[in-house]
Amino acid sequence: MSIITIERKVLQKNDEVARRNRALFFSHGTFAINLVSSPGSGKTSILERTLQQLKGELKVAVIEGDIQTDLDARRIASLGAPVVQIVTNGSCHLEAKLVEDALSNLDLAQVQLLIIENVGNLVCPANYDLGEAVKVVVASTTEGDDKPLKYPAMFRNATVLMINKIDLLPYVDCNLEQLRKNALSINPGLTIFETSCVTKEGLEGWCAWLRSKMIFVGRS
Amino acid sequence: MHELALAQNIVETIHRAVPPETRKNVRVVRLQVGAMAGVVPDSLEFSFNALVAKTPLSRVRMEIESIPFVVECEACGRISGNDVGISRCLECGSGKTRIRSGTELQVVNLELEDFQEEAV
């Protein structure tokens, strides 16, 4: 028997493309966000509210990842933001190469903030670096307070947690403090926002955080 | 279920490392998979076996070394492991911890049966 040493990450190829994407974002001063969550937690609604809130202030573009349909891209396009739809045709996550291909349809020189909405899935997207500056994970109150414990990889890799649908707290079995505690036990460094896309509560704090990142990109 | 995509990456890794004429001699692919890598080892093995069936790599067995999740506390220095992915120090409660292991997902090496000239 002979041994061939490999010592190579399984996703090294993806990571190399992600590095290229990251370098491209950096050279254009684009702050890129990888927005992840389970299906139905409100990613697209958060996007819509964010675009409305930042309109005329920041140049925002969106990459929409979905398994099927361009319904989300149409929602975003109706708000006047540049949007590229990636249809994964069954694949449960976005990969760096899909994002790289999508970027050829965007003029990054005109984009300060790029939001990549991943496929709704709390498992698979955790493994795939897309070249983003930060992962933002959304957990809605209707999902209960134990999501961070059930899907630790996703919450560990995220920089920001958005607890969405807080307007529904009186009606659902979700302890907000417990949800925060669970998330911080997995990832003590998480920045947490509590939001509602219906009442718009908490969205200003989130947008202020985004603005602060623009300053960072501009200076770097 | 992204294990199929991961298995495809592993097949490509073997293809990069081993020339076509030698691939039928590969017997083992060794992996390290962290407890918190977000990968189900059984699914990965199943996907890999499905991909290599009826190819020169069909006799390759996947061996997975599971790496425990271990964090080191920068406040109290305690090194501790848990199987649920909690990064906060369970001793002093500090959030200033460093993950020492448990997120790996890599191909370590391949084992090949020594090449023998086949009788013609």
Side-chain angles (χ1 to χ4, degrees):
Chain A
M1 287 284 174
S2 50
I3 302 281
I4 299 179
T5 303
I6 306 281
E7 306 275 352
R8 181 183 158 95
K9 282 186 180 175
V10 170
L11 289 175
Q12 188 151 324
K13 203 168 91 180
N14 181 76
D15 291 351
E16 284 163 8
V17 180
R19 266 197 292 277
R20 285 209 298 270
N21 291 347
R22 189 165 282 118
L24 197 64
F25 296 143
F26 189 79
S27 67
H28 288 90
T30 303
F31 186 72
I33 287 176
N34 183 358
L35 189 60
V36 292
S37 80
S38 51
S41 64
K43 287 189 299 301
T44 312
S45 296
I46 288 172
L47 256 174
E48 289 175 320
R49 293 297 185 211
T50 305
L51 288 169
Q52 287 164 347
Q53 203 113 354
L54 297 175
K55 193 159 192 171
E57 192 183 338
L58 289 181
K59 293 178 212 160
V60 190
V62 174
I63 294 178
E64 277 289 344
D66 282 293
I67 290 179
Q68 282 296 347
T69 80
D70 63 350
L71 296 173
D72 282 358
R74 287 193 222 175
R75 275 170 69 178
I76 299 304
S78 72
L79 295 171
V83 56
V84 182
Q85 175 80 51
I86 299 174
V87 176
T88 65
N89 280 317
S91 181
C92 52
H93 57 271
L94 290 181
E95 297 186 8
K97 184 73 177 74
L98 292 171
V99 171
E100 185 179 51
D101 293 345
L103 287 175
S104 64
N105 297 309
L106 284 175
D107 179 9
L108 278 186
Q110 295 300 316
V111 180
Q112 291 169 286
L113 171 64
L114 175 67
I115 305 180
I116 305 165
E117 184 181 341
N118 216 312
V119 177
N121 178 344
L122 275 178
V123 185
C124 314
N127 287 111
Y128 290 85
D129 183 7
L130 305 179
E132 72 273 4
V134 292
K135 275 194 177 73
V136 174
V137 60
V138 183
S140 59
T141 59
T142 52
E143 300 166 60
D145 46 40
D146 55 3
K147 274 279 149 72
L149 302 180
K150 286 181 171 170
Y151 303 94
M154 190 62 96
F155 287 82
R156 173 167 324 102
N157 294 341
T159 303
V160 172
L161 164 63
M162 297 183 79
I163 301 176
N164 195 30
K165 306 190 189 179
I166 54 167
D167 53 302
L168 295 179
L169 272 171
Y171 314 105
V172 293
D173 188 16
C174 174
N175 181 328
L176 193 58
E177 271 320 297
Q178 190 62 45
L179 176 51
R180 293 180 69 103
K181 205 176 137 201
N182 288 342
L184 290 171
S185 74
I186 298 297
N187 182 351
L190 272 174
T191 298
I192 301 179
F193 297 102
E194 296 166 7
T195 56
S196 162
C197 292
V198 176
T199 66
K200 300 189 185 175
E201 195 180 342
L203 287 167
E204 188 42 49
W206 154 247
C207 289
W209 183 85
L210 287 173
R211 284 184 204 107
S212 73
K213 294 299 163 187
M214 298 310 113
I215 292 164
F216 173 74
V217 169
R219 278 178 189 162
S220 60
Chain B
M1 280 302 293
H2 60 311
E3 278 79 0
L4 188 61
L6 297 176
Q8 183 62 48
N9 278 280
I10 294 167
V11 171
E12 284 168 20
T13 299
I14 299 174
H15 283 179
R16 282 168 55 108
V18 184
E21 62 276 15
T22 321
R23 284 177 194 160
K24 62 183 189 309
N25 293 346
V26 183
R27 289 293 169 271
V28 180
V29 56
R30 273 195 195 86
L31 267 66
Q32 284 186 332
V33 178
M36 288 300 135
V39 174
V40 182
D42 283 352
S43 303
L44 187 60
E45 198 178 341
F46 176 85
S47 303
F48 179 79
N49 290 339
L51 283 176
V52 299
K54 295 179 182 171
T55 77
L57 295 178
S58 63
R59 292 173 68 188
V60 180
R61 191 176 73 252
M62 182 175 275
E63 282 186 8
I64 297 176
E65 182 192 357
S66 183
I67 308 293
F69 183 71
V70 176
V71 295
E72 178 177 0
C73 179
E74 290 177 6
C76 76
R78 185 183 144 110
I79 295 170
S80 60
N82 66 78
D83 55 7
V84 288
I86 289 178
S87 302
R88 193 172 279 284
C89 178
L90 297 177
E91 183 74 22
C92 73
S94 168
K96 288 206 163 94
T97 55
R98 201 170 59 81
I99 294 169
R100 282 174 66 113
S101 73
T103 58
E104 299 81 355
L105 181 56
Q106 73 159 348
V107 181
V108 180
N109 62 34
L110 304 175
E111 199 171 296
L112 277 72
E113 198 166 82
D114 287 328
F115 197 77
Q116 285 170 359
E117 292 294 329
E118 284 172 29
V120 183

